[in-house]
Amino acid sequence: MAEWPTYSTRVLPAYRFLPGRTPHPRRHPQGHAFEQPEPHLSPFEPERWMTSEDYLYGIDLYNRSYWWEAHEVFEGFWHACGRMSEAGNFFQALIQCAAANLKRELDHEPATRKLVASGLARLRQTPAHYMGINTATFAEELTQWLNERRPAVRIRLEWPGAEEVVRTP
């Protein structure tokens, strides 16, 4: 895998959860988050996204193919921001994109296609640049990924001075 920026300071889980292949993170005694509470994340103003370590960690999880774990973080924000809000719509799109990647990895192509279609519809309702993501470009890349079975689309955050805070693993 090519070098990809790391945006948060958090350590990634010991393994990626793949249903039916690895222990469930919360329910199995060998799970990487066993007996830990579900994430309850605090909402933030969309223009202050770069100050949320939780958001940056969710992006890192997504970019490192921790699809289930990224979904959990994005779902926490979806609940915190309000499901019907602009931010809620955006987080629902990210949830669906993470789930689509997981479904593809598990060879569930019909579910992959359905989730990407839903995620794309939500991304198209989001401003072209939102919470550091060029959503228009991300949507285009997802469409290509779906139709051409390319490697997973990564999220590159964009903001002034990003090079100064981006970390490498």
Side-chain angles (χ1 to χ4, degrees):
M1 173 191 278
E3 226 18 67
W4 199 259
T6 300
Y7 300 107
S8 77
T9 59
R10 295 200 187 144
V11 176
L12 296 173
Y15 63 89
R16 298 180 313 125
F17 175 55
L18 299 170
R21 297 182 187 171
T22 58
H24 189 281
R26 295 193 192 288
R27 294 191 292 245
H28 193 281
Q30 294 175 342
H32 63 65
F34 184 63
E35 296 186 333
Q36 292 179 16
E38 297 274 336
H40 295 286
L41 307 175
S42 299
F44 53 87
E45 294 301 318
E47 60 276 0
R48 307 242 335 123
W49 60 268
M50 72 285 294
T51 65
S52 173
E53 183 71 10
D54 291 323
Y55 176 69
L56 298 175
Y57 182 60
I59 299 298
D60 284 345
L61 289 167
Y62 185 95
N63 284 342
R64 297 289 191 271
S65 304
Y66 285 77
W67 310 123
W68 185 87
E69 292 83 358
H71 177 290
E72 288 285 291
V73 171
F74 298 147
E75 188 170 8
F77 281 121
W78 182 53
H79 289 289
C81 293
R83 296 177 182 190
M84 303 307 287
S85 68
E86 183 176 71
N89 178 70
F90 171 74
F91 283 115
Q92 181 67 17
L94 294 182
I95 289 165
Q96 290 167 328
C97 293
N101 279 285
L102 181 59
K103 292 297 183 182
R104 179 161 277 175
E105 187 159 341
L106 297 172
D107 295 320
H108 298 290
E109 196 61 22
T112 300
R113 292 188 168 282
K114 183 177 179 182
L115 285 160
V116 169
S118 297
L120 288 172
R122 289 184 180 282
L123 281 174
R124 290 183 181 117
Q125 297 170 9
T126 304
H129 289 85
Y130 195 71
M131 291 195 198
I133 299 174
N134 181 327
T135 58
T137 299
F138 187 55
E140 284 177 32
E141 291 173 347
L142 282 170
T143 301
Q144 291 172 349
W145 170 79
L146 182 65
N147 295 328
E148 300 172 16
R149 294 196 62 103
R150 293 179 174 200
V153 176
R154 304 295 180 211
I155 298 172
R156 183 169 301 280
L157 296 176
E158 303 172 350
W159 75 92
E163 311 77 42
E164 299 164 17
V165 297
V166 171
R167 302 159 188 90
T168 53

